[in-house]
C-alpha cells in the first residue's frame, strides 16, 4: 500500500546531519549549500549510494539532513556498506570545508 501511495518514498539507510559551525540558524544560502551536497554526492556515483535526498531544515533551522538510500544490509554486504558510509563521510567532510557548515556530531 505504501509503495502504491508513495512510490518515491524510501527508508534512508544513512543520514547526514549539518549545522552551522557558529551554532546560529541555517541561512537560506546554507540550506541551498546542503542541497547542493546531495547533487555533488550523487554525481560522484559512490558505490552502493542509490539515492540522496536533501530534507528541509529543521523548524528552528538549526540542522538540515541528507537522506541516503543504499542496499539493505545483509551479512554478505556488511563490510561493503561500512566502506560506503566511510566514503560518504569523507566526501561530506571535504565538501563542508570553508562553508561555515559542519556535519553535526561528527
Amino acid at each position: 500500500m505504501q509503495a502504491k501511495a508513495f512510490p518515491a518514498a524510501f527508508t534512508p539507510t544513512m543520514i547526514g546531519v549539518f549545522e552551522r559551525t557558529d551554532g546560529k540558524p541555517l541561512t537560506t544560502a546554507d540550506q541551498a549549500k546542503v542541497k547542493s551536497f546531495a547533487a555533488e554526492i550523487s554525481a560522484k556515483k559512490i558505490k552502493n549510494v542509490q539515492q540522496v535526498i536533501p530534507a528541509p531544515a529543521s523548524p528552528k533551522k538549526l540542522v538540515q539532513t541528507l537522506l541516503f538510500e543504499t542496499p539493505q544490509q545483509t551479512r554478505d554486504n556488511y563490510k561493503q556498506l561500512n566502506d560506503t558510509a566511510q566514503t560518504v563521510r569523507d566526501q561530506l567532510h571535504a565538501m563542508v570545508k570553508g562553508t561555515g557548515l559542519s556535519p553535526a556530531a561528527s
Side-chain angles (χ1 to χ4, degrees), residues 39 61 68 79:
K61 310 274 189 265
F68 294 84
K79 171 140 177 39

Side-chain angles (χ1 to χ4, degrees), residues 37-57:
F37 295 157
E40 287 181 55
I41 287 287
S42 293
K44 291 181 181 289
K45 305 280 188 217
I46 296 170
K47 185 176 181 174
N48 295 312
V49 175
Q50 298 168 331
Q51 187 174 195
V52 185
I53 297 178

Side-chain angles (χ1 to χ4, degrees), residues 5 9 15 30 35 41 47-48 59 61-62 64 68 74 79 93:
I15 300 173
D30 295 332
K35 188 175 180 179
I41 287 287
K47 185 176 181 174
N48 295 312
K61 310 274 189 265
L62 295 177
Q64 185 171 354
F68 294 84
T74 67
K79 171 140 177 39
H93 279 276

Side-chain angles (χ1 to χ4, degrees), residues 11 17 30 36 38 41 54 56 71 76 80 87 105:
T11 301
V17 181
D30 295 332
S36 78
I41 287 287
D76 296 329
Q80 199 176 77
T87 299

